[in-house]
Amino acid sequence: MCSSDLEIAPDGVADGGTRELNIATGSVAGTGTQTVNVGNADGSSSINVDGTTKVNDGVSKDTSINTGAGSGSVHILDGTGSGTLAIGNASAGTITMQTAGDVKITSAATQTLTAGGNINVTSTSASGDAIIVHASDSVGGVKVQAGTGGIEIGNQGDITTIDIGDTAPTVDRDITIAGGLVPDTKTDTIEIAPDGVADGGTRELNI
């Protein structure tokens, strides 16, 4: 078994010194191309880059990572450090995540999703629990708050039942609508089926 080491500028830099290593930095004229290859074609090489690393810094060019047909993984900040991962900026275009598997976001801290436009949560699953919002702690709660636009709960075509608390309980429970003490000088209006019924229509209210 043979071994071979190739070292380029292996020695350090003294205090106040500067070293630059330039590879293929010349300009390309017309339709010319310039390629720098590192590693072998079958991907069996290990390449270590330590230190401050910049890719396409100061220029906007396509950058591809693991675009082959293999099953290689990309690990970012999966060590024991506490670095920050920043993606995009106020002028960035669309950011797309696509996978045949799951997308999981796990954190010990509060997560915030903010957008200047609408936020749509859509599932194409043909399942009764296609979207689940679950506060899993035994004392966890779910809050839905809105401005003057209100909160609308409905379904496509209004053809299916909208149920609140119709699952048979296995422990004692309370179902509260418009709870809380109404303070002095305030009015709390609770409307159930306030709109009329058109000719030939039927409405049943079961309590």
Side-chain angles (χ1 to χ4, degrees), residues 59-71:
V59 295
S60 180
K61 298 295 182 180
D62 293 338
T63 304
S64 300
I65 301 175
N66 272 14
T67 56
S71 57

Side-chain angles (χ1 to χ4, degrees), residues 86-102:
I87 301 176
N89 55 51
S91 301
T94 301
I95 298 175
T96 301
M97 293 190 300
Q98 186 175 10
T99 178
D102 297 331

Side-chain angles (χ1 to χ4, degrees), residues 4 12 17 23-24 27 45-46 66 80 83 92 100 102 114 122 138 149 176 181 193:
S4 178
I23 301 176
S27 61
S45 297
S46 295
N66 272 14
T80 59
D102 297 331
T114 303
T122 303
S138 60
T176 303
L181 179 66

Side-chain angles (χ1 to χ4, degrees), residues 34-197:
Q34 184 168 251
T35 302
V36 177
N37 296 316
V38 179
N40 53 326
D42 62 6
S44 61
S45 297
S46 295
I47 300 173
N48 298 319
V49 179
D50 295 321
T52 302
T53 306
K54 299 179 180 180
V55 179
N56 278 350
D57 183 55
V59 295
S60 180
K61 298 295 182 180
D62 293 338
T63 304
S64 300
I65 301 175
N66 272 14
T67 56
S71 57
S73 300
V74 177
H75 300 267
I76 302 176
L77 294 181
D78 67 347
T80 59
S82 58
T84 300
L85 174 62
I87 301 176
N89 55 51
S91 301
T94 301
I95 298 175
T96 301
M97 293 190 300
Q98 186 175 10
T99 178
D102 297 331
V103 176
K104 297 179 180 180
I105 300 176
T106 303
S107 173
T110 300
Q111 301 302 302
T112 302
L113 176 61
T114 303
N118 295 348
I119 297 177
N120 299 319
V121 180
T122 303
S123 172
T124 59
S125 173
S127 170
D129 57 356
I131 296 178
I132 298 175
V133 179
H134 185 198
S136 62
D137 191 272
S138 60
V139 295
V142 177
K143 291 186 177 181
V144 180
Q145 299 173 322
T148 57
I151 299 173
E152 178 179 331
I153 301 176
N155 50 68
Q156 292 184 350
D158 292 328
I159 58 174
T160 59
T161 303
I162 301 173
D163 300 320
I164 299 176
D166 70 339
T167 302
T170 58
V171 296
D172 295 339
R173 73 177 179 186
D174 294 326
I175 299 176
T176 303
I177 299 176
L181 179 66
V182 179
D184 185 28
T185 72
K186 302 299 181 182
T187 300
D188 191 21
T189 302
I190 303 171
E191 295 185 343
I192 300 177
D195 298 322
V197 178

Side-chain angles (χ1 to χ4, degrees), residues 3-10:
S3 63
S4 178
D5 293 331
L6 174 61
E7 295 184 347
I8 301 176

